[in-house]
Amino acid sequence: MTPTLRLSTRPPSRGLSPSGTPERSHPLLTHANLKTLLSIESGSIKSLNDARKWLKSRSWILAADPYDHTKLVNILATAALTSKPAELKNAAIAVAFLLDADITDHVSSTLSDAVATKALGCFAGLAEKLNTVTNFLVANDTSRVESTLALKTTTETLEGVTTTLNTLATRLTSTPPVSDTQAPTWASIVKSQLNPTA
């Protein structure tokens, strides 16, 4: 469904009527209505590129010279004070296209900054949590390495003790050699201590 617009050939009246009562002004058109009007307009400016070309052709903006809002105000004032109505209309349309592009760029920039700030805020918290987890894992790994080394040392020590105990157990369980001499008694040991010559 195409929107239909009625354009009045009468310029909008402002202020008081000749009888002194306030006159009703025309409401502003919506952005979509403006775009529709510009597309059916017979003028030479129908897009942002057309606006830039038209302003460059009058040397009001230069390709290498960025324009700002002050420059746009100067363009409108120059056109209003020195131009014919058709040129004034083209200047107003051209400046409107440039302002629309600036507003779109500003909104996009603001939104992208807000999204980036929000995303970076989330990532900052995530990075902090990852650092905490990493520190925990490093400490845990260090603790495990220390425990493993201590367990290895203990295992080696226990292995040596086990080997020694096995050797002793083997000696204790083996039968003692039978000797022809009789085992000494306490009395014979004391006697040999008292009588060293015997």
Side-chain angles (χ1 to χ4, degrees), residues 85-101:
E87 191 172 58
L88 176 60
K89 177 182 173 184
N90 284 338
I93 291 171
V95 168
F97 270 114
L98 293 176
L99 285 172
D100 186 51

Side-chain angles (χ1 to χ4, degrees), residues 76-128:
L76 287 176
T78 301
L81 296 173
T82 62
S83 302
K84 296 179 182 176
E87 191 172 58
L88 176 60
K89 177 182 173 184
N90 284 338
I93 291 171
V95 168
F97 270 114
L98 293 176
L99 285 172
D100 186 51
D102 283 347
I103 290 168
T104 303
D105 289 346
H106 179 72
V107 168
S108 297
S109 175
T110 302
L111 287 176
S112 66
D113 287 346
V115 168
T117 301
K118 185 76 169 174
L120 289 176
C122 291
F123 289 138
L126 182 61
E128 187 176 316

Side-chain angles (χ1 to χ4, degrees), residues 41-174:
E41 175 68 28
S42 62
S44 61
I45 302 173
K46 294 190 180 291
S47 69
L48 180 61
N49 287 336
D50 293 342
R52 286 186 177 133
K53 286 178 189 174
W54 189 85
L55 290 169
K56 285 178 189 174
S57 71
R58 304 231 169 350
S59 298
W60 287 348
I61 63 170
L62 302 174
D65 188 23
Y67 59 88
D68 58 5
H69 293 217
T70 303
K71 180 80 167 185
L72 296 178
V73 168
N74 290 341
I75 291 170
L76 287 176
T78 301
L81 296 173
T82 62
S83 302
K84 296 179 182 176
E87 191 172 58
L88 176 60
K89 177 182 173 184
N90 284 338
I93 291 171
V95 168
F97 270 114
L98 293 176
L99 285 172
D100 186 51
D102 283 347
I103 290 168
T104 303
D105 289 346
H106 179 72
V107 168
S108 297
S109 175
T110 302
L111 287 176
S112 66
D113 287 346
V115 168
T117 301
K118 185 76 169 174
L120 289 176
C122 291
F123 289 138
L126 182 61
E128 187 176 316
K129 288 177 184 176
L130 285 175
N131 282 338
T132 303
V133 168
T134 303
N135 291 341
F136 171 75
L137 291 176
V138 166
N140 193 15
D141 283 349
T142 303
S143 175
R144 287 185 182 199
V145 167
E146 290 171 355
S147 297
T148 303
L149 289 175
L151 185 60
K152 182 180 177 189
T153 304
T154 303
T155 303
E156 290 171 352
T157 302
L158 289 176
E159 187 178 328
V161 168
T162 304
T163 305
T164 305
L165 287 175
N166 275 342
T167 306
L168 285 175
T170 305
R171 287 184 186 166
L172 289 175
T173 57
S174 67

